[in-house]
Amino acid sequence: MRALFPGSFDPVTRGHRDVLRRAALLFDEVVVCVMANPSKTGRFPVAERLDRLRAAAADLGNVTVDSHTGGLLADYCRRAGIDVVVRGVRGIHDLDHEMPMARMNHRLAGVETFFITADPALRHVSSTLVTAMG
């Protein structure tokens, strides 16, 4: 089974790497994909984010790296034959944000969303916080 782990990954955090590694243990293939987030202004160019994701996945043989910065996640999943989206959640706030998107992706493309809870030691880490500290 193929899964998609989408995000802006701006920047790639320890939490992202943790979710990616755990997803790689659960699925036959994981595509980690840089996607556009209209509510965020990108700090790092997409090419740099892709390089950082490739480095994070270097020892994970069943992970590929891609980008999709124009169009819906559901469109990407349909085109790539992906039926599961992996999302990391740190707490109820993340889940509240993710649930409407999960329902919409299911409605649009029949895509299921698989939530992986954050490692408690990394729960405080977010791309937004890392960017603010940088």
Side-chain angles (χ1 to χ4, degrees), residues 6 24 75 103 114 118 134:
D75 295 333
R103 286 190 293 272
F114 186 90

Side-chain angles (χ1 to χ4, degrees), residues 24-60:
L25 294 171
L26 297 169
F27 296 97
D28 298 318
E29 181 185 354
V30 177
V31 179
V32 59
C33 189
V34 172
M35 305 205 62
N37 184 338
S39 67
K40 292 183 180 180
T41 303
R43 180 174 180 196
F44 296 101
V46 170
E48 185 172 341
R49 291 183 249 168
L50 291 168
D51 287 343
R52 290 177 182 209
L53 285 169
R54 284 186 197 98
D59 62 337
L60 303 172

Side-chain angles (χ1 to χ4, degrees), residues 25-103:
L25 294 171
L26 297 169
F27 296 97
D28 298 318
E29 181 185 354
V30 177
V31 179
V32 59
C33 189
V34 172
M35 305 205 62
N37 184 338
S39 67
K40 292 183 180 180
T41 303
R43 180 174 180 196
F44 296 101
V46 170
E48 185 172 341
R49 291 183 249 168
L50 291 168
D51 287 343
R52 290 177 182 209
L53 285 169
R54 284 186 197 98
D59 62 337
L60 303 172
N62 63 334
V63 173
T64 57
V65 177
D66 198 5
S67 66
H68 180 71
T69 55
L72 299 175
L73 180 143
D75 295 333
Y76 181 93
C77 288
R78 267 195 298 263
R79 190 180 76 240
I82 293 174
D83 297 315
V84 177
V85 171
V86 171
R87 299 298 293 160
V89 291
R90 292 166 294 181
I92 195 71
H93 177 74
D94 286 351
L95 199 56
D96 283 343
H97 175 76
E98 294 292 339
M99 289 300 293
M101 290 188 294
R103 286 190 293 272

